[in-house]
Amino acid sequence: MKNVLLIKYGEIATRGKNRYLVENRLIRTIIERLEPYEGYRVYKEQGRLLVVNEKTEFDYNVVIPLVVVLPGVTAVCPGVEIEDQSIENLRVTALAHCKEQFGDKPVTFKVETKRSDKKYPLTSREVSSDVGGYIFNNMENASVDVHAPDFVVMVELRNNAYIYSRLIPGVGGLPMGTSGKATLLMSGGIDSPVAGFLTAKRGVEIEAVYFDSPPYTSERAKQKVIDLANRLALYTGEIRLHIVPFTETQLKIYDSAPPEKTTRMLKRAMLKAAEKIALENGSMALVTGDSIGQVASQTMEAINAIDSAAREMPVLRPLCTMDKQEIVDIARKIETFEISIRPYEDCCTVFVPKHPETKPKRKIIENIERKIDGLDALVEEAVKNTETLVLKGDLK
Ligand code: ATP
Ligand code: MG
């Protein structure tokens, strides 16, 4: 008998010929994640993956939190694998598993059996009632409830037999890197890390860009973004964070444009710089945390006036239809919220004009932008002076 983690994955199953590529990608991601820990092996077995440890004790406390956050994983189930599938062995193994999982707690349970080995001498129903009866007779506080049990003890009879009773939901989505790469504009607020997470969940590899405006923005504001990227890396795997020194570009815009237009023009400059970085790193899209109408600066008119700054690739806005509360809920779930609400200013709040236009006109903004002498060169220079950090998600 050995401890295993069963990994269930959903959508991949529908992907025809690409299925193997996508499955292998998920296997590779899990292997990489567990690489620092001794003895873990991952393999494919009839429509799901199994993690085993062939050298040391299987440590669920380490493995579950690392694997359950990977895009593509719909659920994980800690369980045991046995070779000897005789009914006697199924009974004692299931009992040992339940004792380990429930201890002396009063619980209700039922046993469900799946039998892909049709030569097995008992039917699924017979196995379930036999094993269920044995557990019931040998655990004082466990009682059977076939309608709404606290736990369903699963017995799966395949090449080997598997017994498990807990299903821990995962992130879902598609495995990392199966949908290309995108560059996320990440500001340190609540929204952009959520936008990054949702994009990564669809299998998109993420690089991040932060526009830093020292001394108007502090070292601690920058550290906040680094911490956020590190947190995101738990889901996405290693993230490259590009920190772009943007003070001069920003000052140029504030010196040259009417105050009510500067916020949009700054965002346009950010998209232009991010696009240059994205082109270099092989991204196919930019990602921002804009949500329609969330604040006066994110009206449809504003999005329209900003969007045309990116010429070579689409700007994805995964949060555009979400309410603030929906975004906050996700931020809490992925544990970026606490970092995002640290009270350090970002470059937009420092320079924010008293009365930004809520209905800017794209053509007018583009015209003013064109007339600012040396703006493109400053953006170019900022990109050239970018500092890149590689963040690994605080894993071992
Ligand atoms: P967030 O919560 O992500 O900070 P926000 O609600 O504060 O967003 P804005 O300040 O209008 O909204 O920014 C909109 C988007 O522009 C952000 O979600 C982010 O993608 C990008 N952005 C803004 N400032 C920066 C910055 N300093 N560095 C990188 N990206 C930025
Ligand atoms: Mg912000």
Side-chain angles (χ1 to χ4, degrees):
M1 171 175 117
K2 68 180 172 212
N3 282 342
V4 294
L5 188 69
L6 282 87
I7 296 179
K8 305 199 171 192
Y9 50 88
E11 247 176 280
I12 300 172
T14 62
R15 295 204 137 204
K17 268 196 244 147
N18 283 335
R19 178 178 168 149
Y20 291 103
L21 291 177
V22 178
E23 280 173 343
N24 289 342
R25 187 72 202 217
L26 182 57
I27 293 175
R28 196 149 30 104
T29 312
I30 299 169
I31 291 174
E32 275 169 18
R33 174 107 341 164
L34 296 176
E35 208 183 341
Y37 304 88
E38 204 194 337
Y40 289 98
R41 216 164 65 78
V42 183
Y43 59 93
K44 204 167 9 177
E45 217 249 16
Q46 297 176 321
R48 73 295 192 54
L49 304 178
L50 287 168
V51 183
V52 294
N53 191 320
E54 288 176 339
K55 290 211 177 113
T56 60
E57 189 86 353
F58 197 116
D59 190 344
Y60 288 120
N61 292 332
V62 168
V63 174
I64 291 175
L66 289 177
V67 171
V68 80
V69 291
L70 292 172
V73 172
T74 51
V76 303
C77 311
V80 287
E81 178 186 81
I82 46 178
E83 274 178 39
D84 170 7
Q85 303 195 18
S86 66
I87 189 71
E88 293 78 18
N89 197 34
L90 292 179
R91 283 182 201 143
V92 290
T93 311
L95 178 64
H97 171 77
C98 290
K99 283 191 168 161
E100 187 198 296
Q101 293 288 321
F102 319 143
D104 290 334
K105 273 189 304 192
V107 290
T108 60
F109 75 99
K110 74 170 174 179
V111 177
E112 232 171 63
T113 305
K114 275 194 196 156
R115 198 178 53 136
S116 63
D117 177 5
K118 296 296 174 202
K119 291 199 292 288
Y120 197 80
L122 300 174
T123 64
S124 305
R125 196 178 286 241
E126 286 166 340
V127 173
S128 298
S129 81
D130 188 303
V131 172
Y134 191 77
I135 295 170
F136 176 71
N137 289 331
N138 288 284
M139 282 182 79
E140 230 166 75
N141 290 324
S143 54
V144 176
D145 179 345
V146 290
H147 300 296
D150 300 329
F151 292 94
V152 178
V153 180
M154 293 296 306
V155 176
E156 294 193 8
L157 305 175
R158 300 171 177 246
N159 297 330
N160 291 321
Y162 299 91
I163 296 174
Y164 59 90
S165 54
R166 256 192 324 142
L167 192 131
I168 304 159
V171 159
L174 297 169
M176 266 343 283
T178 56
S179 309
K181 191 196 268 192
T183 294
L184 167 71
L185 284 81
M186 196 158 87
S187 63
I190 294 168
D191 302 337
S192 37
V194 173
F197 165 74
L198 291 176
T199 309
K201 182 168 170 280
R202 298 306 301 162
V204 181
E205 197 183 325
I206 296 288
E207 298 214 6
V209 178
Y210 169 59
F211 296 95
D212 191 21
S213 298
Y216 304 99
T217 57
S218 66
E219 198 55 35
R220 283 184 301 184
K222 174 165 127 185
Q223 187 58 44
K224 179 172 155 184
V225 176
I226 295 172
D227 292 348
L228 282 169
N230 232 336
R231 179 69 214 169
L232 264 193
L234 197 64
Y235 301 94
T236 63
E238 194 173 284
I239 286 192
R240 276 153 46 92
L241 171 64
H242 307 278
I243 298 172
V244 185
F246 226 44
T247 315
E248 285 180 45
T249 307
Q250 195 163 1
L251 290 175
K252 180 80 177 175
I253 290 171
Y254 286 95
D255 287 346
S256 322
E260 72 282 3
K261 302 205 186 309
T262 52
T263 310
R264 316 290 176 260
M265 302 192 62
L266 176 62
K267 287 278 156 59
R268 288 180 60 90
M270 286 183 187
L271 282 187
K272 286 183 185 184
E275 188 178 58
K276 287 182 200 291
I277 292 168
L279 285 170
E280 271 169 37
N281 69 31
S283 286
M284 286 184 280
L286 299 175
V287 180
T288 74
D290 296 308
S291 158
I292 298 169
Q294 185 188 93
V295 286
S297 67
Q298 290 174 15
T299 58
M300 281 293 272
E301 287 82 358
I303 291 174
N304 180 279
I306 292 164
D307 203 66
S308 64
R311 290 166 182 269
E312 307 281 341
M313 57 185 74
V315 181
L316 306 181
R317 295 179 169 86
L319 312 184
C320 74
T321 62
M322 284 191 191
D323 298 346
K324 191 73 192 182
Q325 192 56 48
E326 292 173 276
I327 300 170
V328 166
D329 289 346
I330 299 174
R332 285 189 194 279
K333 205 175 79 189
I334 63 172
E335 292 180 39
T336 51
F337 185 76
E338 290 302 322
I339 307 173
S340 291
I341 58 171
R342 288 183 208 158
Y344 311 125
E345 70 300 330
D346 66 26
C347 58
C348 305
T349 46
V350 173
F351 285 97
V352 81
K354 282 208 188 72
H355 302 291
E357 298 179 294
T358 52
K359 299 195 173 194
K361 295 263 184 307
R362 176 162 58 87
K363 291 273 177 241
I364 296 174
I365 288 191
E366 282 172 349
N367 270 333
I368 300 172
E369 184 182 82
R370 220 170 287 128
K371 285 182 198 139
I372 301 181
D373 220 16
L375 184 59
D376 286 346
L378 280 175
V379 169
E380 190 87 39
E381 186 66 16
V383 169
K384 219 190 287 163
N385 292 324
T386 293
E387 172 198 5
T388 298
L389 305 178
V390 179
L391 302 169
K392 295 180 190 293
D394 282 337
L395 305 174
K396 182 168 154 184

